[in-house]
Amino acid sequence: MDAATADHELLAAWRAGDAERGNELVQRHFASVYAFLRSKVPDHVDELVQRTFLACVEAVERIDETRSVRAYLFGIARRQLIYHFRRSQRHDARFDPMETSVCDAAGSPSRLAAARQAQARVLDALHRLPLDLQITLELHYWEDMSVAEIAVVLEIPPGTVKSRLHRARDRLRALLADDENAPPSIEESVGHLRALRRALEPTPSAP
Amino acid sequence: MAAGSTSGTTPAYDHHVATPAPPTEDALDHLRSARPVAPRLETDRALARLQQTLFGVRVAPPAVGRYRIVRKLGAGASGVVYVAHDPELSRDVALKVLHATGGGVADERDRILLEAKSLARVSHPCIVEVYDVGTHGGPAGNVYLAMELVAGLDLHRWLQARPPWRDVVRVFVAAARGLAAAHAVGVVHRDFKPLNVIVGDDGRPRVVDFGLARTTERDETDPAEAAEADDAMLDSGSLPRGATLTDPAGRGVLGTPAYMAPEQHAGLPATAASDQYAWCVALWEGLFGRRPFDGSTAARLQAQKLAGPPRPPRRTEVPRSLARILRRGMDPDPRGRWPSMVALLAALQTAPQRPRRWREGLAIAAVAGVALVGIANAGDDDDPCTSAGERWARTWTDARRHQLHAREPASSARAVAEIEGFGAAWTAAHREVCRSATHHTPSASLSLDARMACLDDQLHRVDALLDVLGPAASSSDPPATAWLHLPTPSDCTAASAGPQTVPTDPALARAVARVRERIADADALALAGRYATALEAASEAAQRAESLAFDPLTAEALTTRGRIEQDVGRLVEAERSLTRAHDLAVSAGHDGQAARASSYLVYLVGHLQHRLDDALRWAQACDAEIKRSGDEHLRAGLLLQRAEAFEAAGRVAEAERDLDDALALVDADPIRQRRRAPTIHNNLGDLLQQAGRLDEARAQYELALDRWIALLGPDHPDVAIALTNLATLDLVEDAPSNAVARLTRAIEIRSRVLAAHHPLLISTRASLAVALREDGDLEAARAILLESAEILRAEPSPPAEELVAVYTALGTTARAAGDHEAARAWFEQSLATVEGTFLAGGRTHALVLVNRALTAVHLGDVATGTRVLDDAMAIEAQWLGADHPAIASRRFLLATALRDAGAESAAAAVGRQALQDLDEAAAPQLHAEIDAWLHGA
């Protein structure tokens, strides 16, 4: 009996009211989900891990039996992360998981690592990637998830997963290559239209 | 990590050593193995709680020994610290679980256990109390220590508030007592540093985190090899310098580079003398605000340490005898140090009671409890000489320091440094005046009184500033940059005779001093933007001054009142107050004060009222007064004000020359004038932009940005001024995405300190909307503008300028979306708002009219279009001169719109007029462009 089959059997038993099996399923995946959340939101991991599993219980009837329970669970964890970051952002700012990295959102969790050696540096760069690119790499490298599973977690078509993996690797390499994130370059172009701009800007600073 | 601290996270202590670029291709290979694993104990605990929530399963929280883990407190080099509950004694403890010892050397664990038990036997108020020691997970498991849970702050954080040096010494001496007690039972700390001392909320410091995990094996390592290992770790940038080094195999504590003794660098075992060394380094840092050794690599640090301790800074209140004691404790040779901590403490107690050159009567003496060093102030209240230090300490209190920090965490360090710089200079100046008073000659005494009064006045000014630097009264309060306006104590000791500003009659002198306090309050309140209260204080001061009939004082009070009246827009009253202040000052021979009043008048009548001739007359008077008074530092201010007057009159060349001159003066006097430099660059930028010299304008704005950041830090609201100005240039130069980035940042900065309806925030949001629109995101632009309009209209009296900007931007956004009807409605609303306000007849008005004209053309109403444009250009011509390129370019804009609308003859007429007024030499490119257009290109 492989792991996936066991997951589905436990899930079925849980649905049938067997809390003990349910508990077994939870225990089986707890550590990886916990580590997944902890690396991104060290200060809120307890809250988010609770929310994730509670949401999973609520949805237990709706979990597709042909799909990976684990992927489903990580999918919920990802959503909880996104909700969390949205909540902690300023009121009207939109949180886009493809644009916002964990470092922007949560400060610098990678400082958890005491020694910043090669691995720590990679981790650091990883945390500076937009959340979904980061998750893509984590699921691929650490959770050994298949493309289909990753697609479930990220709620994207399987075909997009591969290109996203490529992109994630490229950006990670780029981040590692330049130490400082350089400010956007100031460029070019002399225009001529000067309509109302100046009126919008109050004259600054009387002495 | 501080073992028993409840203060939570480890502070980011030092800057990181520069990280060399990692080899890129190898880097991804590390990804797979970099998977973080949560500690078992923590994961188990979280799982137990989840299981209880989900299934009602009662799983006991994980336990270590008899202690139930409650939560994690922190992780350090040698282990993880939890808050745990001891069910037996029904109390919470700090539980430190040491990392598993590598290699499974039983001897080693036994040794740690033994040492931990020794530590547990030490009972000293200044060592964290160890309740219990044991092993977890069988005989081969982890060693743990259950310790007293201390609520407090680690010493590193405590020091960040820059407490007075006497308090610093008191806390360190207490910690030294703790170390001495540990040494007495043979326990060496090995890693003493501020992070490893917790100052409890009860004020009592406890030394924590004794380096128990040191291995015997490591002690036998070849010293050269050990040094190499240290360097490898530092040089690779792998560790922040405040972090404890563990040896490469992760087996034990080596020390913290900044604090560890040279023998630890060399890989030799740490001894009590090493603790003494680290204690001295830490206290030195606490006293002087910088480390005695600051090398960025272990090798450099070690070399510095072997060269011996540095001399203490020259300008310091800290007695030399204390520095001497610390220097001996930092002798590179352990045998050269004090024989023990106890000997060091004894030396502190017998240090000279009255160190040379210190009249304040500093003394080091034993006092009750753990506070061993106190200051015996032999002060006599009637003798002004003994009181400078005390008076400054009463002004600059802990409470104020904390308030300042709470109000502006980002820039408080800077403010604190500035304020303490003033304090040091003030106490020194006070002492100097005092010293001359002790061998005074009768002829000098009058001027000494004046100097002392001047110093008193300055101290009160700072006191008033610190009051307004306190907690912000409302979120729209401007940020606490008042520290930039700290007075300069040396002004009071300057040799120049100066006017008679202190009356000879002692009773009158006291009354005058009290009025000056009120003036200082008014100035400080105005700096904080609390104009109503400021005006009250100033008026009261002026009244009282008049009743004392002491003209120099009345001049001072009226100057302050006039400035505040100007700030609140009462220009007529302001001019009256300042003119009278000027006349009184002149007749009293108070030239410095006269110069201040006249330079404010230059701005008031020149910039705000556009009376250039009057302004220039005031400027001439001011120039003479500055020369007479010898207060040359006032000249930069005069030049700035005159530049504003010239600019208001459109005399760009003269304004630019004045600003250049002001900049030269400011650069020559960087300390006193530092707050002016960014403003000058920024104003130059404005000027150059108006003149169409965009590249130069950009350069000036960039300089303003750099200097503001250098002066106030990157998050200060003034930084946003330069950002928004650069964004304006980005827009002019068709780089809207750059503008969007800058404005977003500016809004982020401003939102932190300003209420949503603050005019500055509204106008920045309006600018962002424009940038978004230019960048093609019409929807986002519209949404921001509508929201801003809502916010403004919810105000009791919405500010006209901002409302006009928002309505106009809504109009141009509608135009960009092709909805010209809606655009017209917005412009009409904008014009209706302009009417009857100070904006009528100004450039803002003109720009709205240009927009209205364009929209008329877009709607096919050629007649209205050309008529409204003529109105607009008539206004612009008043400001800019009829031949200004801006006028031609606006006409040209309308001409192209007319041609697009098919109104060819009108288009040609407007185009020709554009060309006719334009000075070809001033804008050859534009001239050529219009010319080509007219000829059908």
Side-chain angles (χ1 to χ4, degrees):
Chain A
M1 179 173 76
D2 67 13
T5 322
D7 274 358
H8 283 292
E9 280 177 9
L10 293 172
L11 182 66
W14 191 0
R15 276 180 186 162
D18 187 342
E20 211 167 297
R21 311 309 340 253
N23 194 352
E24 208 172 306
L25 187 68
V26 168
Q27 287 183 50
R28 190 178 253 248
H29 296 292
F30 185 83
S32 56
V33 174
Y34 186 82
F36 173 79
L37 290 168
R38 183 181 186 269
S39 69
K40 296 170 192 63
V41 280
D43 295 337
H44 298 273
V45 55
D46 279 355
E47 175 197 340
L48 292 195
V49 83
Q50 292 257 343
R51 281 175 191 271
T52 300
F53 280 94
L54 279 173
C56 177
V57 175
E58 277 166 24
V60 76
E61 295 298 328
R62 294 194 301 275
I63 300 178
D64 184 347
E65 296 196 7
T66 64
R67 287 193 165 166
S68 155
V69 176
R70 191 167 66 118
Y72 188 81
L73 205 50
F74 273 89
I76 298 179
R78 168 181 169 269
R79 297 209 132 219
Q80 295 300 334
L81 276 174
I82 294 172
Y83 295 148
H84 169 79
F85 288 142
R86 279 194 187 136
R87 277 195 303 273
S88 54
Q89 294 254 317
R90 230 177 265 128
H91 48 283
D92 57 352
R94 279 177 300 176
F95 178 82
D96 181 344
M98 280 306 285
E99 290 305 327
T100 307
S101 65
V102 174
C103 268
D104 298 339
S108 195
S110 61
R111 299 289 176 272
L112 288 175
R116 293 160 43 97
Q117 281 147 4
Q119 291 181 358
R121 244 180 260 130
V122 180
L123 270 187
D124 218 46
L126 187 67
H127 284 151
R128 270 148 56 200
L129 287 182
L131 182 62
D132 271 355
L133 292 187
Q134 178 189 340
I135 291 179
T136 309
L137 288 176
E138 289 188 22
L139 298 179
H140 177 76
Y141 282 102
W142 297 345
E143 301 299 333
D144 289 321
M145 280 195 188
S146 65
V147 165
E149 284 180 303
I150 296 176
V152 171
V153 177
L154 297 178
E155 302 171 41
I156 52 175
T160 314
V161 173
K162 282 207 168 147
S163 64
R164 200 168 269 190
L165 260 174
H166 271 292
R167 230 166 91 213
R169 281 197 208 100
D170 286 350
R171 296 223 3 209
L172 188 63
R173 284 204 185 90
L175 276 177
L176 286 164
D178 55 42
D179 252 347
E180 295 289 299
N181 29 350
S185 65
I186 300 162
E187 74 279 281
E188 94 259 345
S189 103
V190 179
H192 58 276
L193 189 105
R194 46 166 74 191
L196 199 108
R197 287 84 187 237
R198 188 67 190 164
L200 296 174
E201 193 57 34
T203 30
S205 70
Chain B
M1 177 62 210
S5 167
T6 54
S7 62
T9 51
T10 308
Y13 192 21
D14 289 318
H15 58 277
H16 290 73
V17 181
T19 312
T24 304
E25 283 312 311
D26 296 341
L28 276 200
D29 299 343
H30 290 292
L31 184 54
R32 194 175 286 276
S33 57
R35 180 183 188 170
V37 184
R40 184 63 193 277
L41 212 51
E42 188 188 322
T43 311
D44 285 353
R45 181 176 57 84
L47 176 60
R49 293 211 336 212
L50 179 66
Q51 287 172 315
Q52 188 169 351
T53 314
L54 289 184
F55 307 107
V57 183
R58 188 99 180 98
V59 185
V64 172
R66 68 169 194 259
Y67 305 97
R68 303 272 165 207
I69 305 290
V70 177
R71 67 191 163 87
K72 187 172 145 185
L73 203 51
S78 55
V80 181
V81 186
Y82 299 93
V83 175
H85 186 72
D86 177 355
E88 251 171 53
L89 294 174
S90 174
R91 65 178 173 188
D92 284 345
V93 299
L95 189 80
K96 178 165 185 171
V97 182
L98 298 176
H99 293 316
T101 47
V105 185
D107 285 354
E108 186 186 320
R109 192 174 42 255
D110 288 345
R111 189 171 157 273
I112 294 169
L113 254 178
L114 199 68
E115 204 176 323
K117 284 177 178 163
S118 309
L119 188 61
R121 279 198 303 275
V122 184
S123 176
H124 190 277
C126 298
I127 291 187
V128 72
E129 194 178 352
V130 178
Y131 299 136
D132 186 12
V133 178
T135 50
H136 171 60
N142 306 48
V143 175
Y144 66 81
L145 292 87
M147 294 172 290
E148 167 195 18
L149 185 66
V150 185
L153 212 60
D154 65 64
L155 184 52
H156 170 69
R157 297 249 297 261
W158 186 85
L159 284 171
Q160 275 174 339
R162 303 296 307 273
W165 69 268
R166 298 167 181 84
D167 293 359
V168 173
V169 173
R170 184 182 59 77
V171 165
F172 269 87
V173 164
R177 290 266 145 174
L179 281 177
H183 294 167
V185 296
V187 175
V188 175
H189 191 291
R190 301 194 174 91
D191 190 18
F192 183 88
K193 57 181 168 181
L195 274 177
N196 282 339
V197 177
I198 296 164
V199 183
D201 289 343
D202 54 3
R204 175 157 54 95
R206 278 87 149 175
V207 181
V208 303
D209 217 11
F210 281 72
L212 297 170
R214 174 64 172 241
T215 73
T216 41
E217 277 170 3
R218 183 65 179 80
D219 291 348
E220 286 150 20
T221 312
D222 174 29
E225 212 179 285
E228 251 174 55
D230 293 357
D231 269 3
M233 295 172 80
L234 268 175
D235 290 344
S236 69
S238 59
L239 274 173
R241 283 172 56 216
T244 301
L245 289 180
T246 53
D247 85 36
R251 282 181 305 246
V253 174
L254 295 180
T256 300
Y259 302 95
M260 65 198 211
E263 63 268 28
Q264 286 171 290
H265 278 280
L268 296 167
T271 62
S274 319
D275 285 355
Q276 181 191 138
Y277 189 94
W279 182 91
C280 290
V281 171
L283 177 52
W284 184 282
E285 180 187 13
L287 287 175
F288 302 120
R290 58 169 181 262
R291 301 222 176 110
F293 314 101
D294 58 5
S296 58
T297 66
R300 235 170 284 154
L301 270 171
Q302 188 175 9
Q304 288 173 339
K305 287 173 181 175
L306 289 174
R311 307 228 145 260
R314 295 181 65 83
R315 293 183 61 177
T316 172
E317 276 190 75
V318 179
R320 272 168 199 278
S321 56
L322 181 48
R324 267 199 303 277
I325 292 171
L326 296 185
R327 282 166 56 81
R328 177 164 173 195
M330 292 186 281
D331 193 307
D333 183 353
R335 289 164 301 186
R337 296 174 204 156
W338 298 94
S340 65
M341 286 308 291
V342 176
L344 189 156
L345 284 164
L348 278 175
Q349 281 178 5
T350 54
Q353 294 283 309
R354 279 174 185 271
R356 195 163 48 92
R357 298 181 58 221
W358 294 87
R359 299 184 51 118
E360 259 66 24
L362 309 173
I364 298 174
V367 293
V370 293
L372 290 163
V373 174
I375 302 309
N377 183 7
D380 169 2
D381 281 345
D382 293 335
D383 178 357
C385 276
T386 59
S387 59
E390 286 301 310
R391 285 180 63 195
W392 174 243
R394 274 202 303 277
T395 306
W396 182 228
T397 59
D398 276 354
R400 280 177 156 169
R401 195 178 297 111
H402 290 312
Q403 266 179 358
L404 182 61
H405 184 71
R407 172 157 170 170
E408 254 192 303
S411 61
S412 73
R414 186 63 186 268
V416 165
E418 296 279 347
I419 291 165
E420 295 190 342
F422 170 85
W426 186 87
T427 28
H430 198 280
R431 214 175 287 133
E432 184 191 322
V433 173
C434 231
R435 258 213 304 277
S436 28
T438 54
H439 358 95
H440 72 273
T441 55
S443 66
S445 69
L446 283 184
S447 135
L448 278 172
D449 280 352
R451 288 176 197 184
M452 207 50 106
C454 173
L455 285 171
D456 287 349
D457 184 45
Q458 286 197 346
L459 188 64
H460 190 84
R461 288 190 162 266
V462 173
D463 198 54
L465 281 176
L466 290 172
D467 267 347
V468 304
L469 283 169
S474 79
S475 56
S476 61
D477 268 10
T481 46
W483 54 267
L484 281 173
H485 300 264
L486 291 167
T488 310
S490 58
D491 287 353
C492 294
T493 55
S496 78
Q500 187 58 39
T501 55
V502 180
T504 40
D505 169 18
L508 183 58
R510 275 196 296 276
V512 166
R514 275 198 297 276
V515 175
R516 288 212 168 101
E517 289 179 6
R518 205 70 190 120
I519 298 173
D521 290 341
D523 282 334
L525 286 163
L527 271 179
R530 299 186 210 153
Y531 294 118
T533 333
L535 193 54
E536 242 170 69
S539 299
E540 188 198 317
Q543 224 166 29
R544 278 161 56 183
E546 299 265 18
S547 71
L548 293 175
F550 186 60
D551 283 353
L553 182 71
T554 313
E556 289 165 35
L558 284 174
T559 306
T560 288
R561 192 176 81 185
R563 281 225 71 189
I564 299 168
E565 283 164 344
Q566 175 197 300
D567 284 341
V568 299
R570 296 190 193 168
L571 303 190
V572 178
E573 285 107 316
E575 189 174 351
R576 201 180 303 140
S577 297
L578 288 172
T579 306
R580 188 162 137 70
H582 179 261
D583 293 350
L584 285 172
V586 168
S587 65
H590 197 352
D591 287 319
Q593 194 60 34
R596 280 186 193 93
S598 49
S599 89
Y600 296 148
L601 278 160
V602 172
Y603 180 79
L604 174 66
V605 302
H607 182 80
L608 296 178
Q609 301 182 322
H610 302 283
R611 286 156 41 202
L612 183 63
D613 289 346
D614 288 342
L616 292 180
R617 268 194 294 277
W618 280 120
Q620 215 168 1
C622 184
D623 178 64
E625 285 145 14
I626 290 175
K627 279 186 190 131
R628 276 204 301 276
S629 70
D631 291 342
E632 280 296 322
H633 65 267
L634 297 175
R635 188 170 300 283
L638 168 63
L639 289 170
L640 257 174
Q641 323 281 32
R642 196 169 69 182
E644 297 275 6
F646 277 131
E647 187 191 349
R651 308 247 302 249
V652 173
E654 282 126 319
E656 189 182 348
R657 195 197 54 217
D658 275 354
L659 288 175
D660 282 338
D661 290 349
L663 201 56
L665 289 177
V666 163
D667 284 342
D669 186 8
I671 303 295
R672 190 203 294 271
Q673 308 277 8
R674 64 202 182 288
R675 76 191 155 90
R676 295 203 190 276
T679 310
I680 296 176
H681 284 301
N682 188 64
N683 291 4
L684 267 173
D686 289 350
L687 213 56
L688 292 163
Q689 191 193 347
Q690 274 184 38
R693 287 148 66 187
L694 301 186
D695 287 344
E696 291 166 82
R698 176 177 297 280
Q700 291 298 334
Y701 286 144
E702 304 264 14
L703 281 167
L705 182 67
D706 289 349
R707 307 207 45 178
W708 260 315
I709 289 175
L711 186 65
L712 302 167
D715 296 326
H716 192 277
D718 282 1
V719 170
I721 297 175
L723 285 172
T724 52
N725 284 334
L726 280 166
T728 310
L729 278 185
D730 288 333
L731 284 174
V732 171
E733 299 185 346
D734 274 341
S737 51
N738 287 350
V740 168
R742 287 199 222 267
L743 291 167
T744 306
R745 172 82 184 120
I747 288 171
E748 184 188 314
I749 291 172
R750 286 180 170 161
S751 305
R752 244 178 261 150
V753 289
L754 300 178
H757 64 265
H758 193 283
L760 264 182
L761 201 47
I762 292 290
S763 64
T764 318
R765 289 164 66 93
S767 300
L768 175 61
V770 171
L772 283 166
R773 189 191 67 212
E774 299 293 306
D775 210 21
D777 195 346
L778 296 182
E779 247 336 286
R782 213 171 82 90
I784 288 181
L785 290 168
L786 286 175
E787 192 193 355
S788 301
E790 275 314 302
I791 294 171
L792 281 176
R793 280 193 295 236
E795 287 303 295
S797 52
E801 205 165 8
E802 283 68 35
L803 213 48
V804 167
V806 169
Y807 288 150
T808 309
L810 273 164
T812 50
T813 306
R815 171 194 298 150
D819 188 350
H820 298 298
E821 278 298 343
R824 185 181 62 177
W826 286 120
F827 294 138
E828 290 294 348
Q829 197 166 351
S830 192
L831 287 170
T833 312
V834 165
E835 233 161 81
T837 70
F838 69 102
L839 293 173
R843 297 198 61 202
T844 303
H845 189 182
L847 289 170
V848 183
L849 285 171
V850 171
N851 276 296
R852 175 70 186 88
L854 264 178
T855 294
V857 171
H858 291 143
L859 288 168
D861 185 353
V862 172
T864 305
T866 48
R867 179 174 51 75
V868 173
L869 181 75
D870 283 343
D871 291 348
M873 292 306 100
I875 296 176
E876 285 281 57
Q878 284 174 12
W879 297 91
L880 302 171
D883 60 349
H884 196 282
I887 292 180
S889 92
R890 299 223 164 94
R891 285 199 199 280
F892 182 43
L893 190 66
L894 194 83
T896 53
L898 283 164
R899 182 179 280 179
D900 289 348
E904 187 53 49
S905 63
V910 173
R912 272 195 302 275
Q913 198 182 354
L915 210 53
Q916 179 192 320
D917 292 338
L918 179 63
D919 174 6
E920 186 178 352
Q925 221 178 334
L926 181 64
H927 195 279
E929 196 182 346
I930 301 175
D931 198 47
W933 181 88
L934 270 173
H935 294 91

